[in-house]
Amino acid sequence: MRFYIETYGCQMNEYDSQLAEYELLRSGHEKCISPEEADLVIFNTCTVRKSAEDRVYGQLGHMKRYKKKRTIMVGVIGCMAQKSGQKLIDDVPHVDFVLGTDHLNDITRVVRFLQEHPGEKIVLTDQDDAFLETEELPRKEAGLSEFISIMRGCNNFCTYCIVPYVRGRERSRDPKRIIEEIMRLVAGGTREITLLGQNVNSYQWGKTDFLKLIRMVHDIKGLDRIRFTTSHPKDMSPEILQTLMAMSKVCNHYHLPLQSGSDTILKAMNRKYTEAHYRSLVETIRQADPLASITTDIIVGFSGETDADYKKTKEMMQFAQYDSAFIFKYNPRPGTRGWEIADDVPVPKKQQRLEELNAVVKETSDKRNALLLGEKVEILVDGRGRSSDIQQKGRTGSNKVVVFDSEEDLYGRLITVTITDAVGWTLFGKMASI
Ligand code: 5AD
Ligand code: SF4
């Protein structure tokens, strides 16, 4: 079949879409680049906010039209599949299969069954721990930069968040298999790896904790760069940060979701750290490496958030000088503890706070980029620019895109550039050395 996968949500979902893609390719299916050409359309879904769910329902609605014209198979995978299961088929009868987050590796079996039994429906949403160890499907090819999951699930139960209910309890993967998989990727050409988990800092397998795992990954010859996401500020400490910052392959980009800068709201969110602790993490990073980037997620308008609480968040943003930040309006999710508390910040107020904080990020990210002007930075060249034949681009360790000119194709090389200009999100550089 010709298949098309549409992905919503976080990096874990992007990674899972890759796994589904490899699995389908391996069993002889063919990838295509638009749903119009596909016989099999798969939606990898997110349920963190209602807006993400609404978008999927909208897209699924369009599939009805497609189905009237020709025979196609429609599948839903990911968090919304896990959460809603059979309800998705009840709501949208032209959905053929629903596979929860532990059933990705069943995808070809399910597709084959449905090819042989048209009109049947399949829903698989039970939690299956075996998935963790069988998930490392052989990849089609090793890209320059690859994701790899080190753990799945979350035990933190932040009161606004649906993830622990959908993705289940924390489960870490065997480090031996993680290392083997990375070594295989590196042998195939991968130079940068991003370790993924809902809360990577709580990785634990026997005596191997997150730092130990990072050290093992660091020892892999031929691997140049290590990234990881997402970190939980409660499990980060200045000491851990210092250890990470001393490791040459660990990229100087720290994604530290703040959520709120007010201790009262952090407590109500069950985040288990204080504004002072968060501040100490920022200070540690800024002191050790002024050019490191810090990014974050913030929720405005959580239940009970007063003007004074909101001001604390704004102050922290000014203190942290984020390189970028995702700001969200609080959206109560059924089943979470937050759902039971009044959602008492009016929508226009949430909107106003969101816009104000977005303006703060714009200001601080421009300032952060301006700091790089004239600096020499290392980039990993990952592709071509758009404006000329000799334009190429790469990423800094701090995760910024730099565009530069070179006659020689430098794809996959680590090079040093001097930053000459910054326009919006893009930096321009001149080659300093190879
Ligand atoms: N409402 C708004 N934002 C949310 N997030 C998680 N749950 C909610 C919610 N109910 C945000 C958090 C998290 C990011 C992935 O999504 O900021 O870090
Ligand atoms: Fe959700 Fe909190 Fe777990 Fe992140 S740490 S996935 S926000 S419950």
Side-chain angles (χ1 to χ4, degrees), residues 155-338:
N155 288 351
N156 291 313
F157 292 94
C158 302
T159 53
Y160 53 81
C161 186
I162 200 167
V163 168
Y165 302 92
V166 176
R167 287 201 174 254
R169 295 294 65 72
E170 259 173 36
R171 288 147 291 157
S172 295
R173 287 184 64 199
D174 184 340
K176 269 207 287 320
R177 305 189 70 141
I178 297 173
I179 298 300
E180 271 167 26
E181 198 181 340
I182 300 177
M183 284 173 75
R184 215 176 327 122
L185 288 168
V186 169
T190 299
R191 307 286 298 269
E192 176 180 284
I193 204 90
T194 305
L195 308 177
L196 286 182
Q198 257 76 39
N199 176 9
V200 288
N201 299 83
S202 63
Y203 174 87
Q204 192 77 45
W205 178 276
K207 289 199 174 122
T208 310
D209 61 6
F210 179 59
L211 275 184
K212 214 161 171 188
L213 178 71
I214 289 257
R215 283 200 187 94
M216 290 162 76
V217 177
H218 204 269
D219 283 343
I220 297 175
K221 287 205 174 61
L223 180 69
D224 292 325
R225 283 179 162 185
I226 305 169
R227 300 184 184 277
F228 50 86
T229 198
T230 298
S231 300
H232 195 309
K234 85 174 163 65
D235 296 320
M236 266 293 188
S237 63
E239 295 70 36
I240 295 177
L241 276 171
Q242 270 151 0
T243 310
L244 289 168
M245 293 179 99
M247 287 193 248
S248 60
K249 295 182 183 180
V250 174
C251 288
N252 58 348
H253 171 207
Y254 300 90
H255 184 68
L256 291 171
L258 170 68
Q259 312 301 1
S260 168
S262 148
D263 282 347
T264 319
I265 299 298
L266 286 173
K267 197 152 198 287
M269 287 176 163
N270 194 29
R271 290 290 286 174
K272 300 199 180 94
Y273 54 86
T274 58
E275 176 252 325
H277 172 72
Y278 192 93
R279 205 173 267 262
S280 74
L281 300 180
V282 171
E283 265 167 357
T284 305
I285 298 169
R286 294 285 184 236
Q287 266 166 23
D289 180 358
L291 297 182
S293 66
I294 308 181
T295 59
T296 201
D297 295 346
I298 286 170
I299 298 176
V300 288
F302 186 70
S303 309
E305 187 185 74
T306 62
D307 284 340
D309 293 318
Y310 163 69
K311 210 167 137 235
K312 288 284 223 176
T313 302
K314 200 167 165 183
E315 277 166 14
M316 180 59 89
M317 288 185 74
Q318 259 132 8
F319 177 76
Q321 295 279 301
Y322 290 113
D323 292 81
S324 88
F326 295 106
I327 323 273
F328 305 103
K329 282 181 280 190
Y330 175 52
N331 175 219
R333 305 301 286 132
T336 61
R337 277 197 272 150

Side-chain angles (χ1 to χ4, degrees), residues 6-14 17 42-47 51-53 55-60:
E6 184 150 311
T7 309
Y8 297 81
C10 64
Q11 281 164 322
M12 187 66 93
N13 267 14
E14 276 175 42
S17 288
I42 297 165
F43 294 87
N44 190 359
T45 56
C46 169
T47 184
S51 52
E53 287 196 351
R55 255 184 298 149
V56 171
Y57 270 113
Q59 290 302 318
L60 285 174

